[in-house]
């Protein structure tokens, strides 16, 4: 019986250890925290967006970096397979808007309970509060793992599933990158992804807490559009958050150190001409009202203040006194409100890491290192990341399943 050691007890690691045991290995799961799945419990606002119903072709469209590396893993363990797997563990699921899949209970802890059941069923040995300081080859076969307290354990295969740098309070502090480099692996530059954005100007402090649905967002660098979408946004004291902003951050991640312009469209469903016709009609019906009061019926007060300031219009100016040029400037700002982005809030508030172990050095059909036989990788530690919507957890589960299975079978896939 092979002994497979999995380093990291998150989504990918738990799946890898369970799969290794399922396919006949003696599996040992090492986790630095006092409990498994610490980051898993935080996903989806504590509800755990497990996966997405998208087929593989649509799925990879939501993966900005190295999407084709995932084909084997996703085809081998797609949405239907993951759903059936979870149901076999007693976890009921439900599908919500945009194909997002959650536990029926809306409780991420139920997902952790299901995986704990899977590990126990396979007889996986779980070592909590345990760190790994080094991994070295054991002669010509297997590995010696040195633990933080100096103890050594041996294994025929090792799976590194330590996560990245995002949400370091959950234990994601880059341990896997160090271990991978010790075997000669290249680790690409690391950036926060799915993270709120910092806006340098204009100041959004007065609009802090404002949440708006269906706002168009266009991100540009040097005048070139690099991302365009629409969705919910949230104004914060430092800038912007919300689903569409987090998705934008995934595409901007590797150029986040460069200045970007964001353009927000607060009348996403209207053309600029239709918007201006509506504004003209409202002003014409309320010629003696302050401009701010005229617009309060269309937009939230906090947003009105930003729009008027950007359009150089006084809040107490009467509707009848607004010039044609000022009205057009107002319409332009409603349709394309410009903000200067100087970065993201960093790894502390990021959901995922952009960058990681170079995928060119890993066999996508097995997740085995091309540099060191018997060494495998799974999850966020690798240079693959996706958008919000359950995609990143689905990737972690698929990679973990493939790595655990192949490690147990000596580098061969189960089919």
């Amino acid at each position: 019986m092979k002994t497979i050691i999995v380093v990291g007890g998150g989504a990918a690691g738990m799946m890898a250890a369970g799969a290794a045991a399922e396919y006949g290995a003696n599996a040992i799961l090492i986790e630095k925290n006092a409990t498994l799945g610490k980051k898993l419990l935080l996903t989806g606002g504590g509800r755990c967006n497990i996966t997405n119903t998208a087929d593989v072709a649509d799925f990879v469209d939501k993966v900005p970096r190295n999407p084709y590396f995932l084909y084997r893993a996703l085809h081998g363990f797609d949405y239907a397979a993951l759903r059936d797997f979870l149901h076999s563990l007693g976890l009921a699921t439900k599908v919500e808007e945009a194909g997002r899949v959650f536990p029926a209970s809306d409780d991420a802890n139920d997902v952790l309970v299901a995986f704990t059941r899977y590990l126990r069923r396979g007889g996986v040995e779980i070592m909590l509060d345990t760190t790994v300081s080094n991994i070295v080859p054991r002669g010509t076969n297997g590995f010696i793992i040195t633990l933080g307290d100096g103890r050594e354990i041996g294994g025929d295969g090792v799976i590194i599933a330590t996560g990245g740098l995002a949400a370091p309070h959950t234990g994601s502090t880059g341990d896997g990158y160090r271990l991978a480099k010790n075997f000669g692996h290249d680790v690409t530059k690391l950036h926060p992804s799915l993270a709120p954005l910092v806006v340098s100007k204009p100041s959004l402090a007065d609009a802090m807490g404002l949440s708006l649905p269906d706002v168009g967002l266009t991100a540009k660098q040097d005048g070139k559009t690099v991302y365009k979408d629409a969705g919910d946004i949230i104004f914060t004291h430092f800038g912007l958050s919300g689903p569409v902003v987090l998705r934008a951050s995934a595409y901007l991640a590797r150029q986040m150190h460069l200045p970007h312009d964001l353009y927000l469209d607060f009348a996403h469903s209207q053309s600029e001409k239709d918007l201006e016709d509506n504004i003209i009609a409202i002003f014409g019906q309320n010629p003696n009202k302050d401009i701010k009061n005229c617009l309060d019926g269309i937009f939230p007060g906090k947003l009105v203040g930003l729009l008027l300031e950007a359009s150089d219009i006084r809040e107490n100016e009467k509707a009848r006194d607004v010039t044609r040029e000022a009205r057009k400037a107002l319409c332009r700002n409603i349709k394309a409100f410009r903000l200067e982005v100087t970065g993201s809030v960093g790894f502390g508030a990021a959901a995922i890491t952009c960058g990681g172990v170079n995928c060119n050095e890993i066999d996508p059909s097995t997740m085995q290192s091309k540099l060191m036989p018997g060494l495998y990788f799974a999850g966020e530690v690798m240079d693959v990341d996706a958008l919000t919507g359950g995609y990143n957890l689905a990737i972690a589960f698929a990679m973990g399943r493939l790595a655990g299975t192949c490690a147990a079978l000596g580098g061969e896939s189960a089919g």
Side-chain angles (χ1 to χ4, degrees):
M1 179 182 290
K2 290 182 178 293
T3 294
I4 303 300
I5 297 173
V6 182
V7 186
M14 288 190 292
M15 179 64 87
E22 184 179 338
Y23 280 88
N26 171 39
I28 301 173
L29 178 59
I30 301 174
E31 168 55 45
K32 70 191 296 187
N33 289 313
T35 58
L36 298 173
K38 193 169 182 180
K39 188 177 178 183
L40 179 76
L41 293 176
L42 301 179
T43 61
R47 297 174 59 214
C48 193
N49 188 181
I50 306 166
T51 184
N52 195 284
T53 61
D55 61 27
V56 174
D58 290 334
F59 191 112
V60 295
D61 284 341
K62 303 298 189 296
V63 182
R65 284 160 284 275
N66 296 313
Y68 302 111
F69 180 84
L70 296 172
Y71 267 109
R72 175 63 182 85
L74 292 174
H75 276 293
F77 200 62
D78 61 7
Y79 157 68
L82 177 58
R83 177 199 59 201
D84 291 344
F85 165 79
L86 294 172
H87 289 183
S88 75
L89 296 172
L91 182 72
T93 60
K94 62 180 180 180
V95 180
E96 296 189 359
E97 182 184 4
R100 297 176 300 151
V101 180
F102 293 88
S105 63
D106 283 329
D107 188 349
N109 189 63
D110 288 345
V111 181
L112 180 57
V113 168
F115 271 94
T116 303
R117 184 177 297 124
Y118 181 47
L119 297 173
R120 287 175 178 167
R121 188 171 73 187
V124 175
E125 180 183 348
I126 301 172
M127 302 176 66
L128 301 175
D129 285 319
T130 304
T131 58
V132 172
S133 61
N134 199 18
I135 304 172
V136 297
R138 184 181 59 189
T140 58
N141 182 28
F143 301 87
I144 296 294
I145 293 85
T146 304
L147 305 179
D149 60 7
R151 289 179 295 157
E152 292 183 345
I153 58 175
D156 299 289
V158 172
I159 302 172
I160 296 176
T162 51
L165 290 175
H169 60 285
T170 65
S172 298
T173 52
D175 301 340
Y177 305 135
R178 171 179 55 83
L179 297 173
K181 286 179 179 179
N182 287 345
F183 287 98
H185 275 282
D186 173 51
V187 175
T188 67
K189 288 186 177 180
L190 305 169
H191 310 275
S193 186
L194 302 185
L197 298 178
V198 176
V199 174
S200 59
K201 60 183 179 180
S203 171
L204 302 179
D206 290 342
M208 182 175 62
L210 178 62
S211 178
L212 297 172
D214 195 30
V215 175
L217 181 150
T218 302
K220 293 187 177 184
Q221 183 190 354
D222 296 330
K224 180 182 178 182
T225 297
V226 293
Y227 180 74
K228 187 172 184 178
D229 200 357
D232 299 352
I233 65 167
I234 302 170
F235 288 84
T236 69
H237 66 285
F238 54 79
L240 291 175
S241 188
V244 70
V245 175
L246 299 185
R247 292 196 296 271
S249 78
Y251 286 94
L252 303 179
R254 284 187 168 153
Q255 289 80 37
M256 194 61 78
H257 61 289
L258 302 173
H260 289 85
D261 292 332
L262 282 189
Y263 293 87
L264 301 181
D265 184 350
F266 300 111
H268 179 57
S269 61
Q270 287 183 288
S271 68
E272 188 166 336
K273 181 182 184 305
D274 288 342
L275 171 67
E276 185 172 11
D277 288 343
N278 289 340
I279 295 291
I280 290 172
I282 291 170
F283 287 1
Q285 293 163 8
N286 303 277
N288 298 316
K289 287 183 70 172
D290 289 350
I291 188 71
K292 182 180 185 301
N293 294 333
C294 286
L295 295 175
D296 274 347
I298 309 174
F299 302 109
K302 290 182 177 180
L303 178 59
V304 170
L306 287 174
L307 293 171
L308 292 179
E309 183 177 0
S311 307
D312 199 23
I313 300 174
R314 300 188 314 274
E315 291 188 357
N316 61 354
E317 189 169 343
K318 302 301 180 185
R320 65 174 182 269
D321 296 328
V322 176
T323 65
R324 179 177 181 275
E325 290 74 16
R327 186 185 70 238
K328 286 189 171 295
L330 173 63
C331 291
R332 283 196 301 273
N333 280 307
I334 292 172
K335 292 292 292 177
F337 186 76
R338 180 176 174 271
L339 306 105
E340 295 182 14
V341 174
T342 54
S344 76
V345 295
F347 285 108
I352 201 78
T353 305
C354 164
V357 179
N358 194 324
C359 290
N360 292 330
E361 300 170 350
I362 301 168
D363 183 348
S365 66
T366 61
M367 296 294 136
Q368 184 172 208
S369 166
K370 293 179 180 179
L371 309 182
M372 175 58 62
L375 179 66
Y376 297 78
F377 296 92
E380 190 180 341
V381 70
M382 299 164 65
D383 184 18
V384 180
D385 60 285
L387 305 184
T388 57
Y391 300 102
N392 285 294
L393 268 183
I395 289 170
F397 292 140
M399 283 184 172
R401 183 79 180 176
L402 183 58
T405 301
C406 292
L409 297 176
E412 299 296 325
S413 172

